[in-house]
Every structure is written in C-alpha cells, then in structure tokens.
Amino acid sequence: MNRSYEVLKSIGLLAWVNEDKLEWLLERSLSYRYEADELIMDATSPTDGLYVIVSGQVRFTRAESQVSHLEVGNYFGELSLISKELRGSIVESISPSELLYISRKHFNGFAEEFPDPYAIIMTNLARELARMIRQLNAITALQQTASSER
C-alpha cells in the first residue's frame, strides 16, 4: 500500500470504510505538493473538497493571527462536503507538504456508488463537528467567565 492510502485509512472520518472503497476514493483523488511557506488557499478560495495531509504541516491564519496548525494524518475542508461557503482562513504550508485532495464531486459519486459507507463517513463527520462545537462552547464559556471576573 502507498503512503496516501495508509494516511487515508488512519483518519477518523474514514474509519470503518473498507479497503476497496478507500481505494476507490484514492483513485479519484489528486496529490498536491507545496514548498515551505507556500500559499495553499486564501480566505476567499471556494470550498470544494477534502484535503488530507500526507506529509508536512500546514497553518491556518485568520485576521493576521495563527489559528492552528495541522500535520500528517489531519485533514481540512470537511465542511465543504456539506456547505459551499467561503473558507474564511488562509492555509499555508509550514514545511514541504503533500496534500491529498478529494473533490466534493467525487464524494458525491462515492455516495451514489456506496451509500452505506458514505453514511458512515457522514456520521463520523457529524460526530467530529459536534466535538468541535463542544470545544468552542467550552472556550466561549471560559472567555465569558474571565470577562465577567474583570
């Protein structure tokens, strides 16, 4: 198996999707390479698919401040599978990086070909989004508590 397949297999979003269906996605994906400090997308880039980090690291910035960074095995663009809104963040490589890109079009094709595994992916996506919302709620509550104590 190649590195891209191994990374795809390891991410929680695709947990429980069997080998032949992951291969189906991999065959339809594109691989992009970026040098250190290279722009991957700006805040106005259209949302059009899922990006999986196969090697390297990327950073997200919003309004001139670093929001987060991701490394091998992480992914971004998952919201584009359910929404067409603009990204809002700038994404740049921190180090030489390889990203695997799976378009929304191919995810939709996957849904038609394999509805049960697609339902699993969407369930995993919903769980991940729920986890992110809980984290944001906790951060917001801490900030509100800190503000009221001043």
Side-chain angles (χ1 to χ4, degrees), residues 61-110:
T61 55
R62 182 180 287 237
E64 303 301 321
S65 64
Q66 183 171 324
V67 175
S68 64
H69 80 273
L70 300 174
E71 52 194 34
V72 175
N74 291 131
Y75 55 88
F76 59 95
E78 68 276 10
L79 292 179
S80 72
L81 301 178
I82 56 177
S83 171
K84 293 182 181 182
E85 293 182 27
L86 294 178
R87 294 189 183 277
S89 295
I90 297 168
V91 183
E92 300 169 292
S93 59
I94 294 173
S95 61
S97 302
E98 179 184 357
L99 303 181
L100 191 64
Y101 165 73
I102 307 170
S103 72
R104 182 185 313 120
K105 173 186 167 188
H106 288 121
F107 265 107
N108 290 341
F110 186 85

Side-chain angles (χ1 to χ4, degrees), residues 24-36:
W24 189 96
L25 282 172
L26 190 58
E27 288 169 4
R28 287 154 182 81
S29 67
L30 298 173
S31 180
Y32 294 108
R33 295 185 189 279
Y34 298 91
E35 296 302 318

Side-chain angles (χ1 to χ4, degrees), residues 2-20:
N2 69 31
R3 175 116 174 99
S4 295
Y5 173 83
E6 292 301 322
V7 171
L8 267 187
K9 185 177 175 181
S10 73
I11 65 174
L13 186 64
L14 300 174
W16 309 105
V17 176
N18 68 26
E19 187 175 310
D20 63 320

